[in-house]
Amino acid sequence: MNGSPTALRVATMEGPGSWRIHALNLALRLTPGSALNNPADVAALRERYQRLDARFPLHPSVHREPVDCDGVPAHWVSVPQSLPGRHVFYLHGGSFAFRFPNAHTAFAARLCRQLRARALVPDYRLAPEHPFPAAPDDCESAWRWAQSHGCPPAQTVFVGDSAGATLSLVTLNRALRHREPLPVCAVLLSPAVDCTLTSPGLTSYHGFDPVISLPRLMALRQGYVPNPELYRHPDVSPYFADFTGFPPLFIQAGSTEMLRDEALRVADKAHAAGVEVDVELWPRVPHAFQLAAFLPEAGRAIDRITDFVAARTGWTR
């Protein structure tokens, strides 16, 4: 907290959406979906995603260095603009089941260029082979390792997209419960916060979202949290956590994506606990649009993230 009165600011970004957004949404709707009924389906989909991810090689200026975070594999991402003393702890998305090494590293690199920082990207274990609590355990271990290896919390920012945003909230909550240091602020891109799947947007925006569907969410939930008794556990559903003491939060989501209300619900609860929260709803964008570097909206979104972080860290461009 910065000592100023806490605020909840919700902004709906203006504009009809670029032609590239409309083209991407159309392409996503026309792309055949893949069934997700059992672990074999996840394995097949991973192979498909790996082939797609490999088609987008990293820019030569991006440096990726493997590191072992006390048993959790990870990698440092840096770019020529990276400065000492600026750190991003980036938890990638992928529905707790998938990993996109090039796409996630490229996104981390774009953040690093804007923030003139370097990023630590843990490769937490994936479901269904490693269901809850494997992923949050790995993220917690990686955060502890980071603090003892050159990432002071006062100079570190959390960033997470989708499942990674969920894990960012869980890692923050665990640190608070254990009375451990917190980062200066956190950026959450379309977090999934309630494993009971009762947010109104999951039904009211079903069909508008070209990426997420309710059957898909239910199948992925089964792989990540096989025991329904855990759905309300704060390490599964951070909406049910105590947000008292959280650092400032910056949340972005699509105005018609299925996780829209998840973002608003967690923002309301965090603000009620005295946390400073900024929320932006972007029109017509698909889930995790910030990772699509060719979208002008993605560039604008990262600019907004940069402004938020700079105002709370003092980092200048």
Side-chain angles (χ1 to χ4, degrees), residues 32-73:
S34 298
L36 279 172
N37 299 312
N38 54 58
D41 293 333
V42 170
L45 195 52
R46 279 182 189 155
E47 291 183 5
R48 174 181 165 187
Y49 286 162
Q50 287 171 359
R51 291 193 298 270
L52 179 63
D53 187 65
R55 294 170 54 188
F56 301 93
L58 294 174
H59 191 275
S61 65
V62 178
H63 180 64
R64 180 164 52 182
E65 177 187 356
V67 64
D68 186 321
C69 302
D70 286 339
V72 180

Side-chain angles (χ1 to χ4, degrees), residues 223-247:
Y224 180 54
V225 191
N227 184 357
E229 294 182 1
L230 293 172
Y231 287 171
R232 294 175 63 89
H233 192 292
D235 287 356
V236 172
S237 299
Y239 176 74
F240 299 105
D242 180 0
F243 287 84
T244 305
F246 266 54

Side-chain angles (χ1 to χ4, degrees), residues 110-146:
R110 290 166 65 208
L111 288 172
C112 289
R113 287 191 189 95
Q114 289 280 97
L115 296 171
R116 305 181 74 188
R118 68 170 181 163
L120 180 65
V121 187
D123 292 326
Y124 56 84
R125 287 170 290 174
L126 302 178
E129 297 89 346
H130 304 285
F132 173 84
D137 285 351
D138 286 355
C139 295
E140 181 180 29
S141 295
W143 172 230
R144 286 175 174 162
W145 180 92

Side-chain angles (χ1 to χ4, degrees), residues 149-190:
H149 288 77
C151 291
Q155 290 298 317
T156 303
V157 173
F158 272 23
V159 178
D161 70 277
S162 193
T166 308
L167 291 168
S168 295
L169 287 168
V170 171
T171 304
L172 291 171
N173 183 245
R174 284 187 170 196
L176 274 173
R177 294 205 309 259
H178 299 146
R179 299 182 179 179
E180 295 175 350
L182 299 172
V184 66
C185 61
V187 176
L188 311 171
L189 311 179
S190 297

